[in-house]
Amino acid sequence: MRAAIHSLLSSWRGLALTLAGLALLATLPWFTGFGTQRLLVEVFTVFAIAMAWNLLAGFGGMVVVGLHVFVGVGAYALFFLSNTLGWNPWATLPLAMAVTALFAAVVALPMFRLSGAHFAVGTWVLAELMRILVLNSDTLGAGGGMPLSNLGDFNRAERNLGTYWAALAVAALALFWARGLLKSPLGLALASIRDSEDAARASGVPVRRTKLALWLMCAALTGLAGAVAYMNTLQVSPDASFGLGWTAMAIFISVLGGIGRIEGPVIGTAIYFLLRELGADHGVWYFVALGLIAIATMVLSPQGTWGLVLRRWPSLDPLRTRRWMP
């Protein structure tokens, strides 16, 4: 009983700290400039995309090399629907999320016929196909892309503030949704699949249906993050939105932070942007350094930075103490 009470108190304390942190982040636009706001929008959206990849690979066993296809679909859905229907871009975000989930459901049939390396490569091929289709679509602006015309009705301060809060909401959604998912029956099924897919199937876990549910939810989250990311730039183009760089960032962040743990994308995103801000001016050597860091992490600590932290301070493991978050 005493342990249960302590766990409950720790849970509420974690919730209070998390909400306080989000409230503090929500007030930052009044104390920072436009440059900082735009950087944080990128941080929040990349974090959400990395969380989606981490869940797919770390719990669903689906190594997705073409996750950026959902970034492009979500961004183009927002721009096209907002410009065509004349809707407020922020009000169109849920619709862009729904369109991405619908797209993921349609392509799931051919994609789920593949497995392992074939699945990973198949998702990348899918992203390339979509890039080529958009590149040759005059309706979507072809190679020149599309501007988000409706944002012209708002002044710069309103655009930056609204986009910043939307990105913060996406990051909060990714964090709380991921934790809620892993504590749900679906999360238990995913954990069993991660440990042993064959054993999970033998125990009656609907492996295919569970993976499909995760695929759709991660696609929707990625599409939403992509829509907000390109709302921040006011322009979307096929080469950028369907670019492999989005997935590469998500993979690097997850590997660096720790695959298969919620804390992984949190720590990995912080380290990645710190490295980028400190070393991006060094050109090609910056990318060499990132590659060496990724290799060193995989060799020395396959569990990522969070794995190193738990080796030194095992009491921080939320699976044991539940102190990290509610």
Side-chain angles (χ1 to χ4, degrees), residues 129-143 238:
L129 286 174
M130 289 300 298
R131 184 184 69 83
I132 294 171
L133 285 174
V134 174
L135 192 63
N136 291 277
S137 173
D138 292 333
T139 304
L140 297 177

Side-chain angles (χ1 to χ4, degrees), residues 244-271:
L244 183 61
W246 288 106
T247 302
M249 277 193 295
I251 295 175
F252 178 80
I253 287 170
S254 298
V255 168
L256 191 60
I259 298 176
R261 301 299 295 261
I262 296 179
E263 300 86 354
V266 177
I267 297 175
T269 301
I271 296 175

Side-chain angles (χ1 to χ4, degrees), residues 188-189 191-207:
L188 295 177
S192 66
I193 292 172
R194 177 192 59 183
D195 295 337
S196 174
E197 186 171 322
D198 292 335
R201 186 177 288 107
S203 301
V205 175
V207 174

Side-chain angles (χ1 to χ4, degrees), residues 6 14 25 45 56 76 79 110 119 181 192 217 230 235 244 310:
H6 181 270
L25 287 172
T45 52
L56 284 168
Y76 268 97
F79 279 56
F119 175 81
L181 170 67
S192 66
M217 288 187 285
Y230 282 97
Q235 179 81 18
L244 183 61
L310 292 183

Side-chain angles (χ1 to χ4, degrees), residues 126-295:
L126 175 65
E128 279 299 293
L129 286 174
M130 289 300 298
R131 184 184 69 83
I132 294 171
L133 285 174
V134 174
L135 192 63
N136 291 277
S137 173
D138 292 333
T139 304
L140 297 177
M146 299 177 67
L148 190 55
S149 304
N150 282 351
L151 274 184
D153 297 335
F154 302 89
N155 60 47
R156 185 184 181 189
E158 292 171 336
R159 290 197 304 266
N160 280 273
L161 187 60
T163 305
Y164 175 85
W165 280 340
L168 179 60
V170 170
L173 173 65
L175 188 62
F176 285 104
W177 167 74
R179 189 180 185 281
L181 170 67
L182 297 181
K183 293 185 69 177
S184 69
L186 179 61
L188 295 177
L190 288 171
S192 66
I193 292 172
R194 177 192 59 183
D195 295 337
S196 174
E197 186 171 322
D198 292 335
R201 186 177 288 107
S203 301
V205 175
V207 174
R208 186 180 180 86
R209 191 169 62 200
T210 301
K211 286 187 173 184
L212 177 60
L214 182 65
W215 168 263
L216 296 178
M217 288 187 285
C218 289
L221 177 62
T222 304
L224 178 63
V228 176
Y230 282 97
M231 179 186 288
N232 193 41
T233 64
L234 303 178
Q235 179 81 18
V236 63
S237 65
D239 288 336
S241 60
F242 290 100
L244 183 61
W246 288 106
T247 302
M249 277 193 295
I251 295 175
F252 178 80
I253 287 170
S254 298
V255 168
L256 191 60
I259 298 176
R261 301 299 295 261
I262 296 179
E263 300 86 354
V266 177
I267 297 175
T269 301
I271 296 175
Y272 169 74
F273 278 96
L274 178 62
L275 291 173
R276 199 187 73 171
E277 292 302 304
L278 294 176
D281 293 335
H282 296 288
V284 68
W285 292 109
Y286 162 69
F287 295 102
V288 172
L290 290 184
L292 292 175
I293 290 172
I295 293 171

